[in-house]
Amino acid sequence: MSQRPQALFAMTAENVPQVFPPEVLARLRESVDIDPALVARDFADPGVREALARTEILVTGWGCPRLDEAVLDAAPRLRAVLHSAGSVKSFATPGIWRRGIAVSSAAAANALPVAEYTLAMILLAGKDVLLARDRMRATRTSSGWGVVPGIGNYGRRVGVVGASRIGRRVLELLRPFDLRPALTDPYVDEEEAAALGVPLLPLDDLLRTSGIVTVHAPETPETHHMIGRRELALMPDGAVLINTARGALVDHDALVAELRAGRLTAILDVTDPEPLPADSPLYDLPGAFVTPHLAGSQGNELARLGLTVAEEAERLLAGGKLAYAVDLAALERAA
């Protein structure tokens, strides 16, 4: 009889082989007894219900059903929920923590490609690459070599909104460059900002002084439309807004007005609504560069999420602490 604890996948079935390719699945199965062919998409399913009664570790992912009290009652042996994606808000309930069940998330792993995307866009935006490409495409001409005033990545202020995992990683990635990052975050004090190596500014001051502003705050009632008409008006002419967080953090009607005026440029990997309706002006406005929510883990990057879960399972079974434990108290202001 296997001594490995019973585990169960709970996510959209097609994500299992992408997040847990053969080499990652093999490593996970060194720690737990898990069947990749049995994936819980509905906890009411009789076969899933039977497996749930034996499950000690639930390996969750995108599409995981809600873990309400009835589900938790049906899983009396459950001791850990290891999430192979970012936020657990869509399915986790306070009852998990009340029962002493450990919760872990691969949010830190998912933050890496988002920060890399952001860095790439900051550097491209600083050189006006995106708009220059559009101008060349429209005119079919090139001015040839020559100095272009007003562009460049030497000494440009980059304002980071939110010291989330992604925001902090962006600050790390910016260190080798001659840019001047600054941070705004109501939960960070001067001492912590100094440890991150950046000045801490109120949001208004950051917007007024930044040539590029990148948004990495969580979506909460307090952050809804935190970048609205008034805030956008504070940004200097020619500034660039990057949003890889959540679309609702930015007032899109106000943003469209600024883009139509040609005053600002926006790089949006998330929108409100998402996906955009076919008639959205953001598809056609020259100052808008919109990508389909691809900054997060995609393709071969998904295996990093699965590996994070496999490593967490190893720590758990060795009696150690989870490296990426999710604290219920911090969940309310997390992404």
Side-chain angles (χ1 to χ4, degrees):
M1 183 178 293
S2 171
Q3 298 302 305
R4 294 169 298 160
Q6 289 288 323
L8 175 66
F9 284 117
M11 61 181 72
T12 305
E14 54 265 32
N15 283 331
V16 172
Q18 297 183 78
V19 179
F20 296 91
E23 66 279 9
V24 177
L25 179 62
R27 181 160 174 180
L28 177 64
R29 296 180 86 175
E30 290 176 5
S31 300
V32 301
D33 187 352
I34 193 165
D35 180 0
L38 178 60
V39 183
R41 276 297 283 121
D42 181 359
F43 286 126
D45 177 271
V48 170
R49 205 76 169 179
E50 181 182 350
L52 197 59
R54 304 188 303 271
T55 296
E56 296 178 60
I57 298 174
L58 199 61
V59 177
T60 60
W62 292 302
C64 177
R66 190 166 175 80
L67 299 178
D68 58 21
E69 291 296 325
V71 173
L72 296 173
D73 286 343
R77 302 181 65 187
L78 187 63
R79 56 180 169 131
V81 175
L82 306 182
H83 189 49
S84 63
S87 176
V88 301
K89 280 186 175 181
S90 65
F91 67 90
T93 60
I96 299 174
W97 286 271
R98 282 199 300 268
R99 295 172 188 238
I101 298 168
V103 181
S104 172
S105 166
N110 195 47
L112 300 180
V114 182
E116 291 165 357
Y117 172 104
T118 302
L119 173 65
M121 291 302 174
I122 288 170
L123 296 175
L124 291 174
K127 296 286 280 189
D128 194 36
V129 168
L130 306 177
L131 288 181
R133 174 187 180 275
D134 286 346
R135 287 192 294 268
M136 286 188 68
R137 173 175 282 182
T139 62
R140 305 285 168 162
T141 61
S142 172
S143 59
W145 186 90
V147 174
V148 181
I151 71 170
N153 288 313
Y154 178 68
R156 186 180 295 275
R157 165 61 58 81
V158 177
V160 176
V161 180
S164 60
R165 288 185 181 89
I166 298 168
R168 290 166 187 259
R169 180 60 175 166
V170 168
L171 291 173
E172 282 183 37
L173 294 178
L174 288 174
R175 283 176 189 157
F177 301 95
D178 289 324
L179 293 158
R180 294 187 302 118
L183 173 68
T184 187
D185 190 310
Y187 299 103
V188 171
D189 59 23
E190 295 281 357
E191 183 178 357
E192 187 175 2
L196 293 171
V198 292
L200 182 67
L201 301 177
L203 177 60
D204 285 4
D205 290 349
L206 180 133
L207 294 172
R208 286 191 188 98
T209 60
S210 297
I212 299 173
V213 174
T214 179
V215 182
H216 302 291
E219 182 179 9
T220 66
E222 292 74 25
T223 61
H224 181 78
H225 285 188
M226 68 180 298
I227 308 294
R229 193 173 306 277
R230 187 189 71 83
E231 289 76 20
L232 291 168
L234 295 174
M235 296 176 66
D237 292 353
V240 181
L241 177 70
I242 302 173
N243 189 10
T244 58
R246 292 291 185 268
L249 272 61
V250 177
D251 181 340
H252 277 50
D253 290 340
L255 179 61
V256 165
E258 292 282 10
L259 296 174
R260 281 186 170 140
R263 206 179 69 77
L264 302 178
T265 301
I267 298 171
L268 307 174
D269 189 56
V270 290
T271 57
D272 183 26
E274 193 172 52
L276 285 173
D279 61 352
S280 171
L282 290 171
Y283 286 117
D284 301 310
L285 284 169
F289 185 85
V290 184
T291 53
H293 205 143
L294 55 76
S297 297
Q298 295 284 343
N300 58 27
E301 295 164 340
L302 295 175
R304 183 193 282 134
L305 306 180
L307 181 60
T308 299
V309 166
E311 291 171 344
E312 287 286 68
E314 291 166 3
R315 293 184 191 98
L316 184 72
L317 299 180
K321 289 184 178 181
L322 294 172
Y324 305 108
V326 179
D327 177 22
L328 177 61
L331 191 61
E332 192 170 301
R333 58 184 177 91

